[in-house]
Amino acid sequence: MPRIAVLPGDGIGHEVLEQGLRVLGAVAPDLSFEHFDLGAERYLRDGTTMPADVMGRWREEFDAVYLGALGDPRVPSNVHARDILLGARFQLDLYINFRPVRLLDPRYCPLKDKRPEDVDFVVFRENTEGLYTGIGGQFKRDTEDEVAIEQEMNTRKGVERIVRAAFAWARQHGKTKVCMSDKANAMRHGHDLWQRVFKSVAAEYPEIKASHLYVDVLTMQMVLAPEQFEVIVTNNLFGDIVTDLGAAIQGGIGLAASGNLNPGKAALFEPVHGSAPDIAGKGIANPLAAVLTAGMMLGYLGRPADEKRIQDAVAACLREGNVTRELGGTRMTAEVGSAVLDALR
Ligand code: NAD
Ligand code: IPM
Ligand code: MN
């Protein structure tokens, strides 16, 4: 019986996870859940961001964490999100941020004349280093001479394991292309390492065409000709940025799912979007990213047929226009959840 840690977090995290949990209840009634009261509310109440024992419990006692979103305007430092979300990525060593970009229904694509088969790739975002480690510092803070340094950490092991994960996934899924994206023309040290590691890992996969694009060109190509991509591998920050762009071309940020993975270890699943304070509490957030994320979690737990069922149910909602207002619909969050449940039956 798989055990899932549930962390709704902040803002629309609560609203969308509620619908994701309804869907999980219908598709996988044998899962067991434990809810964790962490996020901005808790932090403001008692100063707790991440209790000392929780990360160890997730690692030892759970198969997966299902997370909504973290971020609240009342906590401008974002300290709780860093401790919880980045904390989990780093401490559970979830080095793969797996972010599929799949257009389920062409009507919601902002690009002209694109079919579902034209927007169908996966981004492997490095998730444990890069510009996210917090290494750096401030000097002469709040003076005219202030200096702020943010250092980008790239280790050979870290780069190699994410690049290898991308190629291995491509081979396993019958894909023929992997594109690595960096900014080696400007960033001479870290991204030169990416170039060398990419070439050497690519040599182990002769049947897969390895290509490279600088990240500025990648963003352009994702809009102009997304059909050229099957697998993209990139660093932590670039992966963050290009997957919001990916979300837009697959139909919107309300449809993008992600998994933070390290095969064999407890994983963390979350929609790509954030806590959306601008619409939180109104019951209008799109829950489909959270629903697709729940499906991805089931796939990871060894239940690909259930993942497919959920994807098909979401596709049915999109087809029938059972969508929230940012997609041009009139449905409320909970109504979209109910439409997914109807489609499952
Ligand atoms: P956001 O993704 O929360 O929102 C960006 C825009 O997209 C907003 O206009 C919002 O209304 C809309 N949107 C997002 N999700 C939606 C949904 N499901 N349905 C309909 N519309 C949706 O990004 P932001 O505004 O930059 O961030 C808000 C907070 O969330 C910040 O504190 C940020 O750090 C945090 N954040 C957290 C995560 C996470 O926990 N994984 C991810 C991204 C941002
Ligand atoms: C994401 C988010 C996070 C990130 C933030 C909340 C730190 O944008 O998961 O995409 O940048 O990784
Ligand atoms: Mn992001």
Side-chain angles (χ1 to χ4, degrees), residues 331-345:
R331 302 278 181 268
M332 304 293 281
T333 307
E335 292 173 326
V336 175
S338 300
V340 175
L341 290 177
D342 287 344
L344 283 167
R345 290 182 204 113

Side-chain angles (χ1 to χ4, degrees), residues 12 69-71 85 253 270 272-279 285-286 326:
I12 64 165
L70 291 160
L85 180 59
I253 193 77
E270 53 173 346
V272 170
H273 64 72
S275 55
D278 54 335
I279 58 165
N286 185 347
E326 96 287 358

Side-chain angles (χ1 to χ4, degrees), residues 132-207:
Y132 273 69
T133 64
I135 297 175
Q138 295 180 337
F139 180 51
K140 300 189 182 175
R141 189 187 161 103
D142 288 330
T143 73
E144 276 197 352
D145 298 322
E146 175 158 2
V147 179
I149 295 177
E150 204 80 55
Q151 293 190 311
E152 185 176 296
M153 182 177 108
N154 295 278
T155 68
R156 176 173 279 274
K157 284 185 186 131
V159 176
E160 192 172 322
R161 65 182 181 172
I162 188 68
V163 169
R164 201 175 284 289
F167 276 101
W169 187 89
R171 176 175 277 174
Q172 214 174 24
H173 292 82
K175 303 291 181 188
T176 57
K177 297 186 277 189
V178 174
C179 177
M180 188 273 277
S181 188
D182 63 20
K183 192 64 191 166
N185 49 354
M187 302 181 66
R188 297 168 40 220
H189 307 298
H191 294 198
D192 173 66
L193 174 63
W194 275 79
Q195 295 269 330
R196 286 180 285 119
V197 168
F198 184 66
K199 281 201 188 78
S200 82
V201 175
E204 297 170 29
Y205 295 84
E207 82 280 18

Side-chain angles (χ1 to χ4, degrees), residues 85-98 124-135 151-163 194 234-237 260-262 265:
L85 180 59
L86 300 186
R89 290 175 183 170
F90 294 149
Q91 291 171 45
L92 303 179
D93 201 26
L94 304 174
Y95 66 96
I96 301 167
N97 198 325
F98 179 77
F124 278 77
R125 167 187 175 188
E126 202 292 320
N127 212 30
T128 50
E129 44 186 64
L131 269 166
Y132 273 69
T133 64
I135 297 175
Q151 293 190 311
E152 185 176 296
M153 182 177 108
N154 295 278
T155 68
R156 176 173 279 274
K157 284 185 186 131
V159 176
E160 192 172 322
R161 65 182 181 172
I162 188 68
V163 169
W194 275 79
T234 191
N235 67 48
N236 206 340
L237 181 65
N260 300 261
L261 317 172
N262 181 338
K265 298 194 179 171

